[in-house]
Amino acid sequence: MARLDSILDNDFYKFTMQYAVVKLFPKARAKYQFINRGKHSFPPGFAERLKVAINHMATLKLSKSEKTFFSDTCSYIDPTYFDFLQGYRYDPEEVSISQNEGELSVKIEGLWYRTILWEVPIMSLICELYYEMQDEKRVDDVEVMNIVTKKMNKYDKLKITIADFGTRRRHSYAVHDLVIKTLKEHTSNTFIGTSNVHLAMKYETKPIGTHAHEWFMFHAAKYGYKMANLLGLENWSDVYRGDLGIALSDTYTTEAFFRQFDKKLTKLFDGVRHDSGDAIEFADKTIRHYLSKGIDPLSKTIIFSDGLDYEKVEKISDYCNGKIGFSFGIGTDFTNDVGLERMNIVLKMTETLPEDGEWTPVIKLSDEPLKHTGDRSEIEMAIRYLQLDEHA
């Protein structure tokens, strides 16, 4: 049965954000909710099986070897954080799970510094349990490795760098483990690391990531939409002092982001991450922004990470080559290419209580309108307030 066996089986940016939350917003609270974008129908008993897997997570704790790896790898994080993480335990009481026929409900609530770690492992468990209970047979292990190798042989010819970003919607831990093993053993320098800290440790590669949309969603609730990106990045730079310098750009559309990405931040951050909307249009906007600030775009990097496959990567690579630095984070096309339908699910922050006061709804305005999340009236208000295209 699906279950997690390491507290580090999670995305790197969840830990880096947790550290920042502990330092800056230790009293903040948050709520999250599962969103079934793909309209998947969950089999009878699914919620109960998921509860068992989540209850098991309460037994996970940071081992001595994991603490040593993590602290040695991330010298820019204070030693006190790793002591904190060593004492951290998942609390299943923060998670509420129910099922109405084929519809699954998952809600999370608690202190933000605690609840921030739930999202990715719960999503990975939902995916693995879904395939397990549907009794859908994937391709065998040899074919999983062959698929990855064939893709890497093609990527090698593009002379690019690629990281694995596939934890949250992987087919299963077993497949993810095979993928990273194959990527690590591949003879080229194309593969540079994984977002999964546990697998980075197991295969002696680099954990990769910075922050996610919820960082800016919280800042919007605390400081307002027009200051969310600016203060989100200011606070990030105060914590990391120049390390982890890739800025996520599309929490409130890249149009709003680049308005707030002033010259100081533009110079300070190493680059930006693209996660929605047309990749070529985004590259053009980014290049124009750097040029407008008197900065050589080739000194900066775009990390592309939006639903990538070879065709998209090739198109982006051909366009950006010689114009701006770039790299790629590939998710489900590595970790869930096993001959079955891929799941389309998310688990997003829905409300936050920054400190004392009232719960505040949070939203995300993606560059792809179908990816907007949150209350529709709040979305419409934010679009007007940020003076964005009404059709966004």
Side-chain angles (χ1 to χ4, degrees):
M1 179 180 145
R3 73 176 202 177
L4 270 68
D5 290 319
S6 169
I7 199 169
L8 295 187
D9 189 1
N10 205 331
D11 276 345
F12 181 56
Y13 68 51
K14 282 295 181 174
F15 298 107
T16 58
M17 287 193 298
Q18 184 184 52
Y19 171 59
V21 173
V22 168
K23 286 180 74 75
L24 301 180
F25 309 111
K27 295 181 180 180
R29 300 181 69 83
K31 295 180 182 179
Y32 300 77
Q33 186 167 327
F34 172 69
I35 302 170
N36 185 4
R37 282 180 178 164
K39 308 298 182 185
H40 308 284
S41 179
F42 291 89
F46 187 90
E48 295 308 311
R49 291 278 294 273
L50 181 59
K51 287 177 185 178
V52 171
I54 286 175
N55 286 338
H56 169 73
M57 289 175 64
T59 67
L60 300 179
K61 58 184 178 180
L62 192 73
S63 70
K64 184 176 180 180
S65 59
E66 287 174 331
K67 183 180 180 182
T68 299
F69 165 79
F70 209 172
S71 59
D72 287 351
T73 302
C74 304
S75 58
Y76 45 80
I77 295 179
D78 293 342
T80 51
Y81 171 71
F82 301 107
D83 288 341
F84 157 80
L85 189 60
Q86 194 170 29
Y88 176 91
R89 299 293 183 273
Y90 283 107
D91 181 0
E93 291 188 4
E94 295 167 345
V95 185
S96 173
I97 304 169
S98 62
Q99 184 173 355
N100 181 11
E101 295 184 344
E103 295 183 8
L104 178 69
S105 172
V106 180
K107 297 179 180 179
I108 303 164
E109 180 178 345
L111 287 162
W112 189 25
Y113 78 82
R114 292 192 47 79
T115 56
I116 199 167
L117 292 189
W118 279 113
E119 176 193 350
V120 174
I122 287 180
M123 286 181 64
S124 66
L125 285 170
I126 288 172
C127 288
E128 184 162 357
L129 277 171
Y130 178 82
Y131 294 117
E132 194 175 275
M133 293 184 70
Q134 295 287 78
D135 198 28
E136 297 186 5
K137 302 300 182 184
R138 64 171 173 88
V139 298
D140 64 26
D141 290 359
V142 172
E143 183 59 19
V144 169
M145 293 186 286
N146 285 340
I147 289 170
V148 173
T149 299
K150 288 176 183 177
K151 289 177 180 178
M152 288 302 291
N153 288 337
K154 294 171 70 176
Y155 286 132
D156 289 344
K157 295 176 183 178
L158 298 179
K159 300 187 184 306
I160 58 174
T161 54
I162 286 173
D164 154 60
F165 282 10
T167 302
R168 63 188 56 226
R169 284 181 284 266
R170 67 193 183 192
H171 171 274
S172 58
Y173 173 81
V175 167
H176 199 179
D177 185 72
L178 280 171
V179 167
I180 302 304
K181 181 177 186 293
T182 307
L183 290 170
K184 178 65 176 177
E185 291 176 351
H186 194 70
T187 54
S188 74
N189 295 318
T190 302
F191 174 63
I192 58 172
T194 173
S195 65
N196 188 289
V197 184
H198 162 68
L199 292 172
M201 175 180 170
K202 182 174 181 179
Y203 290 104
E204 300 181 336
T205 189
K206 182 180 179 181
I208 291 179
T210 52
H211 46 242
H213 296 107
E214 69 183 282
W215 181 253
F216 300 97
M217 292 160 75
F218 171 84
H219 281 76
K222 186 171 176 65
Y223 303 110
Y225 293 111
K226 288 190 175 181
M227 299 300 291
N229 287 310
L230 176 64
L231 292 180
L233 294 177
E234 287 277 9
N235 280 331
W236 191 259
S237 64
D238 285 346
V239 172
Y240 285 105
R241 314 301 299 173
D243 283 302
L244 303 180
I246 298 295
L248 182 60
S249 60
D250 72 331
T251 309
Y252 298 110
T253 75
T254 55
E255 180 183 346
F257 173 82
F258 282 125
R259 287 183 206 154
Q260 298 171 25
F261 199 42
D262 64 17
K263 191 164 187 175
K264 170 190 167 183
L265 294 171
T266 301
K267 284 190 168 184
L268 177 62
F269 279 79
D270 300 322
V272 295
R273 178 159 74 90
H274 169 263
D275 196 49
S276 65
D278 185 273
I280 303 304
E281 289 180 10
F282 178 81
D284 279 337
K285 286 180 185 178
T286 306
I287 291 168
R288 286 197 301 270
H289 177 79
Y290 284 128
L291 290 174
S292 74
K293 303 298 183 185
I295 297 170
D296 180 3
L298 288 170
S299 70
K300 301 291 185 177
T301 300
I302 301 175
I303 307 296
F304 292 94
S305 61
D306 180 29
L308 297 176
D309 55 23
Y310 177 79
E311 287 70 27
K312 292 179 183 177
V313 169
E314 182 183 35
K315 180 180 178 182
I316 294 167
S317 176
D318 288 346
Y319 187 82
C320 292
N321 196 24
K323 298 175 183 174
I324 192 168
F326 58 94
S327 187
F328 300 92
I330 297 179
T332 51
D333 197 52
F334 272 146
T335 61
N336 204 349
D337 188 4
V338 294
L340 302 174
E341 178 190 3
R342 300 173 188 180
M343 298 196 77
N344 184 6
I345 59 174
V346 294
L347 210 166
K348 290 292 184 183
M349 180 190 282
T350 56
E351 295 180 68
T352 184
L353 199 165
E355 285 186 36
D356 297 329
E358 298 180 351
W359 284 95
T360 302
V362 296
I363 61 167
K364 180 168 82 77
L365 299 180
S366 170
D367 283 336
E368 171 49 61
L370 293 177
K371 285 187 174 183
H372 290 347
T373 60
D375 179 75
R376 187 64 216 178
S377 62
E378 186 75 14
I379 289 172
E380 292 171 353
M381 186 275 289
I383 288 172
R384 291 193 299 272
Y385 189 67
L386 290 169
Q387 298 178 310
L388 300 171
D389 183 348
E390 287 292 333
H391 300 289

